[in-house]
Amino acid sequence: MTKSNIYGFILSAALLITSISCARQEGLSVIPAPQSVEYHNGNFEVNPSTNIYTNMSKEGCMAFANYLEGTSLASHPFIDTPDESNTIILNLSNDSTFTNDEAYKLVIDKNKIVITARGEAGLFYGTQTILQMLDNGNGKTLKSITIEDTPRFPYRGMHLDVSRHFFDKEFVKKQLDAMAYFKMNRFHWHLTDGAGWRIEIKKYPRLTSFAAWRPFDNLQEWWVSGRTFCNQDDPRAVGGYYTQEDIREVVAYAAERHITIIPEIEMPGHSEEVLATYPELSCSGTPYVDADYCIGTEKTFEFLENVLLEVMDMFPSEYIHIGGDEAPKTSWEQCPRCQKRIADEGLSGVDELQSYMIHRIEKFLNDHGRKLIGWDEIIEGGLSPTATVMSWRGEEGGIKAVKAGNHAIMTPGKYCYLDAFQDAPKTQPMAIGGYLTLEKVYSYEPIPDSLSSEEAKLILGVQGNVWTEYMPTYEHTEYMIYPRILALAEVGWSPADKKDWNNFHSRALKAVKTLQAHGYNPFPLDKEIGDKPESFEPVKHLARDKKIIYAHPYSKQYSAAGEKTLVDGIRGGWMYNDDRWQGFIDCDFNVTIDLGENTPIKEVTAEFMQLKGPYVWMPKQVIISVSSDGKNYDTLSTIDNDISPDEETLQFKNFGWQGTSKARYVRYQALSNGTPGGWLFTDEIIIR
């Protein structure tokens, strides 16, 4: 054989091996992707005679066997001594190569399956890999393989809001099953909020006989009709709560699946339901007036501490979540008791008053062997030294926390809020707004570039949040959760350099079918439409890359590409949060574009959107004017809006002029409809 033929043979063989490896990797449909995979020849057949052996404790073995009864490994008996053939061996080991209790090694050959781990959690997660291989593979045949796997982050969580809409314990258990299957280990249970209290507190029975019930079936109708509560025996009552027995049952169910439940008890804000029930805990002393607890009265701390004592008795979690977000604090500014507290404690204002409350509650929790987690607003007024920050308003809160030496969990709304539309909005059920695709969730990287390697160690992990304002049914809620939570499961577990969108997408398609087969209602990923067509191709027009002057500043929160946004040729997608739409809050939109010289023009247009839920409105009126000298303007067109602000669904509308004119300066004004807190969004001013 010639030298060139030898090289050709070697190259061909290498390409063949690579292609086989890729094909095999494609065949391993496991989420999250394992850290290391090595394939071997042969298969293992799981048959009715396959046994299971483990050296776990008797209690651990019983819990594991109980769990397996609901899986594709049900009815396989546990044996007392290991067998070298037709056996699944779950082996606890002191092997120092395992860096944590969740890591595992899985070896499948033609005779047996061996899962080795330092902790029972590792054996559990190795078994999840087996279960997924069985569910997504060829019947009971498993490929011979060696997998070494360990999670990237210790915290891989999902949050569920049961205040806005109540979901029974069986539904919660069902979601815990799915979390375990995809190796997620923290369930953040949002049990209280202004829309309803959902956990039995024996010392305060009216929290569940009154604050858990609303006289409206529809949350939006309740929201605009006074937001009142009613007694449980009221014929109109809609709602529910978990008894303490329910809570303990769910906590035990989760523990069997190696999931820790973190309860959230909101304070000081989002507490309207409590203050309607016990108005003496508010600044006004009157129901349905305040949203924040009164921090000037000791009755508030007596109440909160009594509640937390019962909560800690039900939840063994190291962490207790206290909310801390979106507290208006306005009542504190006028409250004599709060102002006295500020003076007595030498505080600078209401921000430090909130910090005082957070510190005091944290000390109470610490004294009882627990730690505090809160949303990133708990940083305001001074961060508690041992508090963990859950960063939702972007990543800034998490960055600030870790730079101060605190732990953080990343859950920014842009990537982790699963109440946003996941496909073309007019094809989807109602959502609060935003557009968050599976691909965008998968693209999230929880470690910001600005952190050092030491600071990065303080990022505990990532969490997906399910807020249920627009999720009234079990089916709708699952539709919003799956498959997007699977992307976060992989973000939290798999090494960043192992992420591969195309490969994940193919695995997610199979996972959706598996979820459907197990009775879940996921979004049908194979029918995904995708983003707005206009967003894919840049548009050419006369204003592109020209100078633009803003009369009113755009919002820093929705700045898109800054001053070039409206003349960069890039159109926005289905929603305002895609970094292409530019937002203006509580003001008119007024910009002037300098074309550089007098130029013949035939068209000036811009598109706006409306979505009632997040207060995104059409302009009341648009005025388009032109000038040759930048001083004297002639109005080309005045266009009134004809879309009602009461329209519930997402709307788009072009406001434009067509005709014949000549100008150097083009001024485009869009007038706000005047709704306080209202937004205007546009993506490009097109001049032709």
Side-chain angles (χ1 to χ4, degrees), residues 368-439:
H368 289 81
R370 306 301 180 93
K371 295 179 181 178
L372 179 147
I373 293 182
W375 302 108
D376 54 57
E377 286 95 330
I378 68 172
I379 296 174
E380 297 168 6
L383 185 62
S384 301
T386 60
T388 294
V389 171
M390 195 166 271
S391 189
W392 72 279
R393 298 178 300 176
E395 296 181 324
E396 292 78 8
I399 292 170
K400 187 172 182 179
V402 300
K403 286 188 176 294
N406 293 67
H407 284 108
I409 297 157
M410 291 303 199
T411 180
K414 183 177 178 179
Y415 296 96
C416 300
Y417 271 45
L418 306 185
D419 52 349
F421 293 105
Q422 58 192 315
D423 201 3
K426 289 197 174 182
T427 70
Q428 297 301 293
M430 186 65 73
I432 196 169
Y435 177 57
L436 182 58
T437 64
L438 180 68
E439 183 175 8

Side-chain angles (χ1 to χ4, degrees), residues 376-502:
D376 54 57
E377 286 95 330
I378 68 172
I379 296 174
E380 297 168 6
L383 185 62
S384 301
T386 60
T388 294
V389 171
M390 195 166 271
S391 189
W392 72 279
R393 298 178 300 176
E395 296 181 324
E396 292 78 8
I399 292 170
K400 187 172 182 179
V402 300
K403 286 188 176 294
N406 293 67
H407 284 108
I409 297 157
M410 291 303 199
T411 180
K414 183 177 178 179
Y415 296 96
C416 300
Y417 271 45
L418 306 185
D419 52 349
F421 293 105
Q422 58 192 315
D423 201 3
K426 289 197 174 182
T427 70
Q428 297 301 293
M430 186 65 73
I432 196 169
Y435 177 57
L436 182 58
T437 64
L438 180 68
E439 183 175 8
K440 187 168 183 177
V441 178
Y442 190 73
S443 73
Y444 182 51
E445 169 48 51
I447 304 293
D449 292 338
S450 60
L451 298 184
S452 69
S453 58
E454 286 303 309
E455 290 168 338
K457 295 177 182 177
L458 295 175
I459 301 292
L460 295 179
V462 66
Q463 176 173 288
N465 294 331
V466 183
W467 298 101
T468 62
E469 284 95 330
Y470 294 92
M471 302 179 202
T473 67
Y474 296 165
E475 293 77 15
H476 189 168
T477 304
E478 289 183 348
Y479 184 95
M480 302 300 279
I481 295 173
Y482 308 105
R484 289 184 291 187
I485 198 68
L486 278 58
L488 284 176
E490 185 145 313
V491 167
W493 181 284
S494 303
D497 61 359
K498 297 287 185 182
K499 287 172 63 179
D500 180 326
W501 161 246
N502 290 327

Side-chain angles (χ1 to χ4, degrees), residues 339-348 352-353 356 360:
Q339 290 301 310
K340 183 176 186 301
R341 179 81 75 184
I342 288 171
D344 290 348
E345 298 294 335
L347 308 175
S348 65
E352 287 197 4
L353 183 61
Y356 164 84
R360 187 164 164 180

Side-chain angles (χ1 to χ4, degrees), residues 16 43 50 67 95 101 121 142 180 201 235 367 389 413 435 450 499 546 582 634 639:
L16 178 62
N43 298 304
T50 302
Y67 168 77
D95 190 331
D101 286 349
L142 296 174
I201 302 297
D367 289 346
V389 171
Y435 177 57
S450 60
K499 287 172 63 179
K546 294 298 192 288
Q582 195 168 68
D634 296 321
I639 309 108

Side-chain angles (χ1 to χ4, degrees), residues 668-679:
Y668 194 106
Q669 298 169 271
L671 307 183
S672 166
N673 74 358
T675 303
W679 290 89

Side-chain angles (χ1 to χ4, degrees), residues 1-10:
M1 185 180 289
T2 65
K3 187 178 290 187
S4 61
N5 284 340
I6 292 173
Y7 289 154
F9 175 78
I10 292 171

